[in-house]
Every structure is written in structure tokens, then in C-alpha cells.
């Protein structure tokens, strides 16, 4: 792996009181933790910005299609995995229902700019009798505030992003010829990613064989379908779940891990805390397993894929797998998936493989993009 001894700052709002006592966590340098683990730098050329999406070609799309067609032309179910945007905010630790918001990303709310009231009250005139409704966001719309794919440059440590791009590429300034009105006046200049943005992943798209590992159902340390807050998912949990489901995680698969956490955000009886969600736990074996299988993309139904803070060898780390997966392997992460409906269907017919397609919104220079993945899954038809 490419070593780096420079200082870094936690990403994703990690400085926002993640420690249980409300104080800042200890921050040993993650470079030491990840030293010696695999990376994919230069594997697809020194200018590559697509990472493991390079693994998805015609054969991988065909494998997904075969999975979808395994029950025949008349036995295909369709699922979308994107969360609805309700605009409802959930106070941390409460049992309110609404949109999950990671610290630093407020819930987004939209409002109408045109509707029947506007025509009725004379604010707008019909065009040859035709009327139209329209809307816009009235609060900041955080691109990673709902179901989304992380750009490969979204998280890093030291002075380098995925594939050796300079970390200063995350703060490249662009001036626009025509200013437009923003929340705080005219916007004529912004900062964004010159490299490793979401745009190359949007260009590539995702299409391949997806596999769901429903750890929440098979580990059985919460209720029937959800892991408790604070639960950590190990490599052994993934392998045990795959065995219980009778499914194999093959090379170049798209792996989805279900914790049940997003179900808490839609359940008025369940408390939810974004910084204490269940999620993957770092281990060298997990990183090597993901690398050895050339997992093409990784998604989960929580806000960060992994546990936000993790105790490893007596030290506290913040999102270490983001460093291992995004920065080192170039592995796109898809967060805040809605997996409950898909999981229920998989449980009913015992089929946990499918065709998965997805693409984030193509937003130039962005650190992530909202997405609504589509699954086509075979069913036994009963």
C-alpha cells in the first residue's frame, strides 16, 4: 500500500462529537492501521478515476441478467432501493420517523414555485390554457443526504486521494461566467473536485450481479429483522450469512449488506442514532476478502456502511473502512439503501442474487451523488 505519514482530518462530519461522552474521539493515524493492506492504485492506469467499476463489463452484466431470468420470463420482481425524501427531520436518538441525516447534512425540504393556487391568485397566467406545477429546494440539498454513491475522492488520509491524486484536488476553484442567485447572494465561484469526483462513476454506471447478505435476519441479536444500535458486523458474519442463505459471493459481484437500520427511520417505535448505527467492523481479513473477490461496489442500509467509530487494538478510529475501500481500493460505496422490501422477498423465495443497476446523478466536481438503484430479481413464482 502507498504509505503516507502526513496529518489528516476526519471526514463526513466526524469531528462532531462522535465519542460516547460527547467529546472528540482519539484519532491515531489511520495510515498506520492500513499499512500493508492491498490497494488498486495504478491497476487501471495512473489517470483512472473509476476504481472497481472498471470490473463491470459485458460478462458481469450478463451474470446479473442470468440471475434475473433464472425463474423464467414471467417470474421477475422489480425493486427500487432509494429512500423517499420526506423532509421530516429525526432528532438524534428519538423515535420520530423521517429522513436520516448524518451530522452536518440537514434534511432537505422542497417547496412549490408554481401550482394551481398561483394561477388562481393571479401570480401566474396559463399558456394557451395549460398550467404547470414546479418546485425547488428551499433548504440546502446535500448530495449525500439521501441514498447516494460516494465519489472515490470523498474520503482520504494524508496528502493523496485514490490512485495517488493530490488531496488539493478536492478544493479546486472554478469561476463561472454567469453568476446565479444562491441562498447568500450571487454564486460565481465554487470549490470542488478536480479529480476523483462522482462524475466518472456516473459516466460508468453500475450493472452486474448483486448479492444481498441479510445479516440482520441471520445474526439474530436484535429483533427478527434489525440489528441493535452499536452492533458490529464482522467478516465471519458475512460468511455465515452467505452460508445460511445458500448463496456465494463471487468475483466482481455487487455486495449489499442489510443491517435493518433504515427501518428504524420509518418506525415510530424505534429509536435511531446515526452515529451509533450497526455497520461493518474493520479487520485486515475483511479488507483482503473484499479485495480478493474484486467486489465491484458495496452498499448497505445505513449512513456509513461501517460503524462510525470503532475500537481497534485499544484505539478509537473514525470510518477506517472508508480509507481502506474508497481511498485505497477505489471501491464505490452506496449508502442509505432501502433494503427491507428486497430482503422480505429474498427471504420468502430463498433467492438472494439479482441484476442490480444504478448510476449516481452526474454532478460535475461533486463528492457524491443521489441514486435510486433498480433490482430485477427472479422469484420462484409461488
Amino acid at each position: 500500500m502507498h504509505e503516507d505519514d502526513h496529518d489528516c482530518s476526519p471526514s463526513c462530519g466526524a469531528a462532531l462529537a462522535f465519542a460516547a461522552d460527547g467529546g472528540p474521539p482519539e484519532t491515531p493515524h489511520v495510515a498506520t492501521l492500513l499499512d500493508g493492506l492491498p490497494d488498486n492504485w495504478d491497476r487501471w492506469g495512473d489517470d483512472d478515476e473509476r476504481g472497481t467499476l472498471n470490473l463491470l463489463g459485458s460478462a458481469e452484466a450478463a451474470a446479473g441478467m442470468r440471475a434475473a431470468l433464472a425463474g423464467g420470463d414471467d417470474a421477475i420482481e422489480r425493486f427500487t432501493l432509494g429512500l423517499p425524501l420526506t423532509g421530516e427531520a429525526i432528532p438524534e436518538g428519538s423515535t420520530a420517523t423521517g429522513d436520516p441525516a448524518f451530522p452536518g447534512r440537514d434534511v432537505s425540504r422542497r417547496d412549490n414555485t408554481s401550482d394551481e393556487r398561483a394561477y388562481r391568485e393571479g401570480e401566474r397566467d396559463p399558456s394557451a390554457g395549460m398550467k404547470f406545477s414546479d418546485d425547488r429546494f428551499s433548504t440546502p440539498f446535500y448530495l449525500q443526504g439521501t441514498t447516494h454513491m460516494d465519489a472515490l475522492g470523498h474520503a482520504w488520509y494524508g496528502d493523496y486521494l485514490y490512485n495517488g491524486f493530490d488531496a488539493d484536488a478536492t478544493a479546486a476553484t472554478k469561476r463561472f461566467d454567469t453568476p446565479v442567485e444562491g441562498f447568500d447572494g450571487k454564486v460565481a465561484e465554487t470549490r470542488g473536485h478536480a479529480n476523483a469526483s462522482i462524475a466518472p462513476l456516473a459516466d460508468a454506471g453500475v450493472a452486474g450481479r448483486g448479492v444481498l447478505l441479510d445479516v440482520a435476519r441471520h445474526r439474530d441479536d436484535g429483533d427478527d429483522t434489525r440489528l441493535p444500535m452499536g452492533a458490529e458486523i464482522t467478516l465471519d458474519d458475512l460468511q455465515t450469512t452467505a452460508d445460511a442463505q445458500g448463496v456465494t459471493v463471487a468475483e466482481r459481484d455487487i455486495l449489499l449488506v442489510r443491517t435493518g437500520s433504515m427501518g428504524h427511520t420509518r418506525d415510530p417505535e424505534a429509536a435511531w442514532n446515526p452515529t451509533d448505527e450497526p455497520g461493518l467492523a474493520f479487520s485486515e481479513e475483511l479488507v483482503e476478502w473484499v479485495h480478493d473477490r474484486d467486489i465491484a461496489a458495496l452498499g448497505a442500509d445505513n449512513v456509513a456502511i461501517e460503524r462510525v467509530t470503532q475500537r481497534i487494538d485499544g484505539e478509537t478510529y473514525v470510518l477506517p473502512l472508508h480509507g481502506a475501500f474508497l481511498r485505497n481500493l477505489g471501491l464505490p460505496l452506496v449508502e442509505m439503501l432501502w433494503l427491507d422490501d428486497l430482503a422480505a422477498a429474498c427471504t420468502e423465495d430463498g433467492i438472494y442474487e439479482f441484476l442490480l443497476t444504478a448510476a449516481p446523478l452526474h454532478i460535475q466536481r461533486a463528492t457524491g451523488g443521489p441514486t435510486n438503484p433498480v433490482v430485477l430479481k427472479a422469484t420462484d413464482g409461488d
Side-chain angles (χ1 to χ4, degrees):
M1 195 180 80
H2 298 259
E3 297 185 24
D4 202 312
D5 296 326
H6 300 281
D7 292 334
C8 65
S9 299
S11 64
C12 296
L16 297 176
F18 282 155
D21 62 0
E26 304 166 48
T27 53
H29 205 295
V30 72
T32 302
L33 179 71
L34 303 183
D35 184 30
L37 292 178
D39 69 56
N40 283 324
W41 291 21
D42 299 328
R43 180 175 176 182
W44 297 287
D46 60 9
D47 60 347
D48 176 63
E49 299 180 65
R50 294 187 176 188
T52 54
L53 293 193
N54 285 291
L55 298 168
L56 295 177
S58 180
E60 290 68 40
M65 293 177 189
R66 286 194 297 271
L69 289 167
D73 294 354
D74 298 324
I76 299 175
E77 295 180 289
R78 184 172 65 249
F79 300 88
T80 57
L81 308 184
L83 290 176
L85 283 171
T86 68
E88 298 291 342
I90 309 174
E92 187 171 303
S94 82
T95 55
T97 62
D99 295 347
F102 200 81
R105 302 174 190 151
D106 291 334
V107 167
S108 299
R109 291 176 177 161
R110 50 141 307 282
D111 199 7
N112 281 9
T113 60
S114 177
D115 50 30
E116 176 60 24
R117 183 202 59 79
Y119 290 105
R120 187 174 61 249
E121 296 183 5
E123 296 175 7
R124 289 181 177 271
D125 295 322
S127 299
M130 288 299 300
K131 305 175 186 179
F132 304 91
S133 58
D134 205 351
D135 50 19
R136 69 177 181 182
F137 281 99
S138 298
T139 61
F141 178 41
Y142 292 89
L143 300 180
Q144 298 181 13
T146 186
T147 308
H148 66 276
M149 181 181 291
D150 284 344
L152 299 186
H154 166 59
W156 70 97
Y157 55 89
D159 288 344
Y160 299 101
L161 313 178
Y162 164 70
N163 214 21
F165 291 111
D166 194 304
D168 283 341
T170 64
T173 298
K174 178 176 180 178
R175 289 198 58 83
F176 296 88
D177 293 337
T178 304
V180 298
E181 193 64 41
F183 287 109
D184 300 312
K186 296 287 187 179
V187 177
E189 180 178 298
T190 63
R191 293 197 312 276
H193 279 237
N195 297 109
S197 76
I198 199 62
L201 306 186
D203 280 339
V206 174
R209 178 182 182 259
V211 172
L212 173 68
L213 296 184
D214 192 353
V215 178
R217 240 180 206 91
H218 290 280
R219 206 170 85 166
D220 195 29
D221 62 346
D223 58 23
D224 289 340
T225 59
R226 298 177 192 147
L227 293 177
M229 290 291 114
E232 295 190 344
I233 298 171
T234 65
L235 174 58
D236 183 66
D237 290 323
L238 299 182
Q239 294 172 325
T240 299
T241 299
D243 290 343
Q245 294 177 176
V247 68
T248 299
V249 180
E251 289 187 6
R252 304 192 178 200
D253 275 349
I254 302 156
L255 178 61
L256 305 183
V257 178
R258 183 172 174 275
T259 69
S261 186
M262 286 297 99
H264 286 265
T265 70
R266 299 296 185 260
D267 182 353
E269 303 299 321
W272 179 73
N273 184 337
T275 63
D276 193 35
E277 281 188 304
L280 291 178
F282 170 85
S283 71
E284 293 182 358
E285 293 77 15
L286 172 62
V287 176
E288 290 166 350
W289 183 82
V290 167
H291 179 258
D292 290 346
R293 274 159 182 72
D294 268 339
I295 299 300
L298 174 62
D301 60 342
N302 55 10
V303 297
I305 303 289
E306 59 183 306
R307 287 276 292 125
V308 173
T309 56
Q310 302 181 37
R311 293 290 290 179
I312 305 168
D313 297 330
E315 302 281 5
T316 299
Y317 291 87
V318 177
L319 299 173
L321 287 173
H322 274 58
F325 290 158
L326 286 172
R327 191 257 197 192
N328 295 340
L329 295 185
L331 172 66
L333 304 179
V334 186
E335 298 164 335
M336 301 189 197
L337 291 168
W338 179 253
L339 297 178
D340 283 17
D341 296 335
L342 173 62
C346 292
T347 300
E348 183 174 351
D349 58 26
I351 300 172
Y352 291 86
E353 60 175 335
F354 37 80
L355 170 66
L356 187 148
T357 63
L361 288 181
H362 189 142
I363 304 169
Q364 290 288 306
R365 307 167 70 242
T367 69
T371 183
N372 186 18
V374 176
V375 162
L376 297 180
K377 190 187 91 66
T379 181
D380 59 11
D382 295 337

